[in-house]
Structures are given as C-alpha cells and as structure tokens.
Amino acid sequence: MSNTRCRIAPSPSGFLHIGTAKTALYNWLFAKKTGGVFILRLEDTDAERTDEQYVHGMCEGFRWLGIEWDEGPEFGGVPEKGAYGPYRQSQRRELYRAEALRLLDEGKAYKCFCTKEEIDAFRKDRPHDRFMSPWRDAAPSKVAAMGDAPSAVRFKVPEGETVLHDVIQGEVRWNNREYDDFVILKPNGDPIFHLAVVVDDAHMKITHVIRGDDHLTNAARHVMLFEALGFPLPQYAHHPLVHDEQGRKLSKRMHGANVLDWRDDGYLPEAIINYIALLGWTSEEENREFFTLDELKDHFTLERLTKSAARFDRKKLDWLNGQHIRRLSVEDFRDRILPILEAQGFDVRARTPEWLTRVAEICQGKIPTLNQIVQQTDFFFRPVTPYEEAGVKKHFHMDGRLCLEAVLGVFASTDDWTSKTLHDAVQALADRMGTGLRKLVHPIRLALTGKTVGPGLFELAELLGKKTCLERIEDALAYIAALDEL
RNA sequence: GACCCCAUCGUCUAGUCUGGCCUAGGACACCAGCCUUUCACGCUGGCGACACGGGUUCAAAUCCCGUUGGGGUCGCCA
C-alpha cells in the first residue's frame, strides 16, 4: 500500500463532462496502479451554480463508468467515506477562512476594500492590465480605519519567479509579474477556487494532481499558495484537453459531451473507458488498443501520457464499442440488451431465457452499439409490415412469388425445426430449382422480417418458430398477389 | 493584447528525452478484393504524415532559433 492520494474535484454545476471523466480515469488509474487512494471532492463553493441534480448526475456517471471513489461524499444511500472529510467544499468554509486569516496574520495576504464596481471600471478601462489594489501596502492605521467595511482578502503575489515541475509538461516557469493579487476570500467569507483547492489538496494529503491543462497557468497561483501556506507541494500533471471532431473545445451543449449520453445511445462503459484512456495515453505494449478497466489499471503510467490535444472520433469509438460487445459473454450481452428491448415495449418476459440467449447470440457479432439491437430483432416481437420498399421492388415480383410458394411447401413439411435442417431443406430446394441459395434467401428474409438485412436467415427462422414462419410467408404471398392485381 | 502549452497520415498515435536500426510503424476511417444467405464480423491489400524556414552535425521526425497554426489562462466562476 503506497501513500499515493489522487482526486477528482468536479464542480457540480453541470453533468459529468467527457473531459472530467478522462481526468477522473487518469487519477483513478494512477491511484490504483500505485496501490493508493482515489478521492472524490465536490467543489461546490459557488452556491449559485451548484445543483443537487448535477451532483447526482456526476456520481451516477462515475458509477456507470466503474470509477469508484475510496473517499468521498455521501451518495445514493452510501454514507461519506474517508478520514479527511467533509468532501464537499461547501462544508469546509471554516477551514478556508482559518487559512486565509493565517496568511493575513503573516502579511502574505491583505484586506482589499475596493468595490466590485471600482474593479470593473478599471478592467473596462484597461482590459489588458493587471489590477493593482491600492490596499496592497496600505498602512495599518488606514486599514483599521475601515472597520468592518466589506473587504475581500487578496493574496500578496511575491516578487520573483514561480517554477512548476510538471510530470507531463516538464519545467514551466512564470514571472510573478504576470499575476495580480488574486482574491482568495470573498467579502461574504466564501473562498475562491484557488484557495479552496490548495487548502483541500494540502489537508487531504493529495500527492498527485492530475488535471486538464486549462489549469496550467492556474498552477502557478497554486504553487505560490502552497509555498505561502507552508505545505509540501503535490506532483502536478497537466494533460491536454479533449476537442470535438472539428478540433474545438467540447461544447457543453453538444450531445455526447455528457458521459451519460453515451449510455443512452447504447455504448458500453467499458468502451467509453477504453476510448477516453486512448485519448491521450498509449500503452508501452506496442500497437495494443483494446483494454478493460482492469487491464488499464495494470498498464497505466503517467510517463505514457501524450502532450498534444486529441480530437474525439466517433467512428473509432464505434469500433471499440463493437470490440467490447463481441468480447462479452452471451449471457452478459443478453442482459444488457434486454432493458433496451423492454423499453421498446417488446414483451421479452414472455420468452424463455434460453430463447433470449439464442437471439442475443445471433446478433452479438453484428452490432456496433447496443441500441441497434432493436432494428436487428424487432420482427421477433411485432408484425413485419410494412415491408421495406426497396426489398419489395427487388424480391416481391413473379420470381419471388414462385420461390415463396415452393418454400412454403418445404417449410410446411419440415418437422425438425432447426436452422441446420431448414438450411439443408432450402438448399435442396434451390438445387432442385437449379438456382442459387441466395435467390431464395432474399424473398424469405423479406417475408419473415420485412427487411433486407438482419441476422442469419435460418437461425432467425428457427427462433421465430414454424407457425409464425408459415403465417408470414402466406401473408407475403397474399401481399404479392395484391400487388399483381394493381 | 500579454503570458503559458502544443505541432508526425483525414483522426488517435509509435518513434523525439538518450540524433543514425525511420525509404517513418500500428489503429480508426476511406478504397479494392476475399469470405458469405443479407448486413455486419473476419482476412488480404491499397491510399495516406514528420506545419514552414533557418541553423548545429558526417547524419535530424528527433537538438537549437524563428515563423505560422491550434489550444489555454488572464473573474469577488471552478
């Protein structure tokens, strides 16, 4: 057991973003790989933007992905876990205030009585300049004279240079002149993000901070605060952000930015995990791309993280999803498609588990996403009409009619209703007719399923049952007859 | 605007730190073919990149500088 402690610290002001999931995954993987601990901390200091519905959505998202936290807030009936709580920043206000006061006492921070209006006016006037508070070096008497007037606490950015030794970015240095004296405590006593993260990371004994590189320039502020507060610095690793297929930042509004969108669209959590892991990390095992969460855990290293931003590629995700679907056991696959079929109103409860397993079996190798099970199997659960138009044109003409009439006879006289027997019988019929099997298969498929594509015909016919097959062929013949009369 | 990060096939990437094994490898996508009762799957092959310009060196995708392009940050948001 190592003392590695990683965290994901989302702000519950929106759903679980795919980028947040990637960050969480990397932290989780590194913690697990090193035998450490993964912590979930809710950064809900901004009451205006925080919403319990988002808290729920995020936790649910992590759960769905299989990213479980060792320490974190109460969720779904499971009480708070961990010895460094509470794990919601809204419940840690006193701690931040105490640390801010300490900085104040030590002269590393100061009270700023400037009003928001004054600052806004300055920024509007000189948008590219940093704001210099006149209170930075105000005489104590002047400060005392202000009494209890509302004041924010600002961190007194020291002279000099701040250096970050980032695990991914290498050495990054900034002249402290680039930073103005940022606020750490609002007049109402609420902490600002920078103070809260640093205090929490310190008090929660976080050893490694893996996060998006949108925080890279913030990291300088955090390093300065760590130094001022006298806490040991964690290791930082800033990874690049995920972009959309156009190379832009993944918009929060875009479908798919929310991790749970993918669940709803029929993607496996295993595939999402595998895919986002690959979006910025490669295995030391050359040319290997398929990983389960457990396998990732064994292979993951910070050293193999990529420095450049990656675009989200739906096609590759689809491929990976198909790979993961095919590696499921039939029973597992069956159990995952059942709720989808049920949601369609299909009466799956009327079927035996064995029958459902067989249906799953003949579809598992064909579909890239779980949701596509519907178009693959709907004819098992409801009548076939209307027939696919292009199929009718192609297969429901004179030839097709003759074929179906012959097949009807063959089917009617077949008692051993198995795909093997059916296949052999139709093959024999084709031989007798001096034609190819495919000539017969197409009209039969259209008659039985209403479609031109689908699972293997004889497997599907077996599962459909003799009675239904005969009825559907008769229906098709009637349909063709009606067509001919027009 | 300032500062910071990044830059290999359309996309994800290997190779860059520790120059030569790189006439740059793999995967997705795309194209062709094979398999085949359809669609898929699978298999085989094809297409396809070191952003640009300077240097350093016997030798540069790899090191240095510049340019360009992309991204990020500059809140009493996180």
Side-chain angles (χ1 to χ4, degrees):
Chain A
M1 194 74 178
S2 76
N3 62 350
T4 303
R5 294 175 59 81
C6 295
R7 54 36 167 215
I8 182 71
S11 153
S13 56
F15 48 71
L16 177 55
H17 190 92
I18 200 90
T20 310
K22 174 180 153 178
T23 302
L25 175 63
Y26 288 168
N27 278 284
W28 187 91
L29 288 171
F30 183 68
K32 297 298 154 187
K33 170 70 185 281
T34 56
V37 166
F38 174 72
I39 296 149
L40 170 64
R41 180 174 77 219
L42 263 15
E43 309 226 321
D44 56 349
T45 52
D46 188 356
E48 298 213 344
R49 301 201 313 164
T50 297
D51 192 315
E52 282 310 304
Q53 143 199 346
Y54 295 135
V55 171
H56 189 275
M58 282 190 172
C59 293
E60 192 186 346
F62 288 131
R63 281 275 159 84
W64 180 67
L65 289 171
I67 300 177
E68 295 283 342
W69 52 94
D70 305 300
E71 296 180 19
E74 179 276 330
F75 172 67
V78 181
E80 178 179 287
K81 295 182 277 191
Y84 297 84
Y87 292 90
R88 278 172 168 255
Q89 291 189 330
S90 56
Q91 296 166 359
R92 301 168 66 84
R93 289 175 85 247
E94 290 316 309
L95 181 60
Y96 309 128
R97 198 204 297 265
E99 294 289 18
L101 253 31
R102 187 155 69 86
L103 289 176
L104 224 37
D105 284 347
E106 294 171 4
K108 293 170 180 169
Y110 59 91
K111 286 185 178 179
C112 172
F113 295 90
C114 294
T115 64
K116 200 159 188 325
E117 290 68 33
E118 285 173 331
I119 297 166
D120 286 348
F122 172 90
R123 292 227 163 86
K124 198 175 175 203
D125 201 33
R126 299 161 62 183
H128 299 309
D129 289 341
R130 67 194 186 107
F131 176 71
M132 283 285 284
S133 171
W135 296 93
R136 179 179 168 111
D137 297 304
S141 58
K142 222 179 144 195
V143 176
M146 293 302 286
D148 285 336
S151 67
V153 177
R154 283 181 187 275
F155 178 68
K156 198 182 269 184
V157 170
E159 297 277 306
E161 198 178 48
T162 298
V163 183
L164 174 71
H165 299 278
D166 192 275
V167 176
I168 298 169
Q169 308 291 345
E171 183 185 283
V172 186
R173 42 181 73 225
W174 297 269
N175 190 318
N176 289 359
R177 276 198 299 259
E178 300 299 332
Y179 295 89
D180 55 14
D181 291 344
F182 50 97
V183 171
I184 54 177
L185 212 61
K186 299 187 207 176
N188 70 3
D190 282 347
I192 282 302
F193 164 69
H194 304 297
L195 207 228
V197 211
V198 168
V199 168
D200 283 345
D201 285 344
H203 283 258
M204 293 182 176
K205 303 254 189 315
I206 300 301
T207 57
H208 298 260
V209 174
I210 305 167
R211 47 154 55 158
D213 70 7
D214 48 337
H215 283 302
L216 187 57
T217 43
N218 283 335
R221 294 191 178 87
H222 301 164
V223 170
M224 288 188 258
L225 277 173
F226 261 101
E227 285 169 356
L229 255 9
F231 292 119
L233 206 59
Q235 285 275 306
Y236 283 100
H238 289 91
H239 67 248
L241 265 22
V242 179
H243 291 164
D244 66 17
E245 314 214 32
Q246 282 72 244
R248 306 191 164 280
K249 194 172 173 176
L250 262 178
S251 160
K252 287 194 174 81
R253 284 163 299 282
M254 193 190 90
H255 182 77
N258 182 349
V259 164
L260 292 178
D261 288 344
W262 297 102
R263 177 191 64 184
D264 299 342
D265 287 349
Y267 288 80
L268 265 39
E270 294 93 324
I272 300 291
I273 286 283
N274 193 165
Y275 183 64
I276 60 180
L278 257 27
L279 237 35
W281 174 84
T282 48
S283 170
E284 78 292 344
E285 197 174 316
E286 187 104 16
N287 299 336
R288 173 163 177 197
E289 301 201 292
F290 183 91
F291 290 93
T292 64
L293 188 56
D294 267 350
E295 291 166 347
L296 283 171
K297 190 174 71 187
D298 294 335
H299 290 259
F300 187 79
T301 56
L302 293 178
E303 290 69 35
R304 302 284 305 179
L305 286 174
T306 301
K307 291 184 92 174
S308 55
R311 292 189 193 199
F312 198 93
D313 182 11
R314 172 68 174 273
K315 292 267 182 62
K316 183 138 188 180
L317 206 209
D318 284 352
W319 172 77
L320 257 182
N321 202 54
Q323 297 293 314
H324 280 274
I325 282 179
R326 270 165 237 130
R327 277 167 178 79
L328 256 28
S329 71
V330 201
E331 292 75 18
D332 190 356
F333 175 67
R334 176 199 62 198
D335 293 344
R336 298 203 204 202
I337 56 176
L338 250 31
I340 297 169
L341 295 174
E342 236 174 340
Q344 287 293 313
F346 298 161
D347 190 6
V348 295
R349 290 168 194 279
R351 313 290 181 148
T352 66
E354 293 73 28
W355 185 88
L356 291 167
T357 307
R358 286 278 292 133
V359 168
E361 194 175 12
I362 64 173
C363 297
Q364 187 172 7
K366 309 175 79 75
I367 56 175
T369 66
L370 293 177
N371 286 6
Q372 292 185 31
I373 194 65
V374 174
Q375 64 227 53
Q376 205 71 206
T377 61
D378 55 356
F379 57 83
F380 281 121
F381 304 98
R382 65 182 179 207
V384 295
T385 48
Y387 296 107
E388 207 175 280
E389 205 177 311
V392 170
K393 275 195 184 141
K394 236 171 153 179
H395 308 301
F396 277 5
H397 40 56
M398 204 48 198
D399 275 2
R401 183 177 185 172
L402 294 175
C403 290
L404 284 178
E405 279 166 351
V407 168
L408 185 61
V410 169
F411 273 19
S413 61
T414 300
D415 291 320
D416 178 33
W417 199 258
T418 63
S419 60
K420 172 84 169 66
T421 308
L422 291 169
H423 174 273
D424 293 348
V426 175
Q427 180 68 62
L429 174 63
D431 292 345
R432 263 181 275 133
M433 292 171 75
T435 181
L437 185 61
R438 50 163 55 86
K439 184 94 175 167
L440 297 177
V441 161
H442 293 300
I444 304 174
R445 173 183 298 285
L446 189 60
L448 296 186
T449 71
K451 297 163 194 271
T452 56
V453 303
L457 178 66
F458 301 106
E459 287 74 17
L460 143 196
E462 177 191 324
L463 293 168
L464 217 37
K466 181 170 180 176
K467 183 165 170 285
T468 307
C469 286
L470 294 180
E471 283 167 4
R472 289 192 179 178
I473 291 174
E474 279 166 1
D475 288 349
L477 285 168
Y479 179 87
I480 299 172
L483 274 185
D484 288 347
E485 282 169 26
L486 291 176

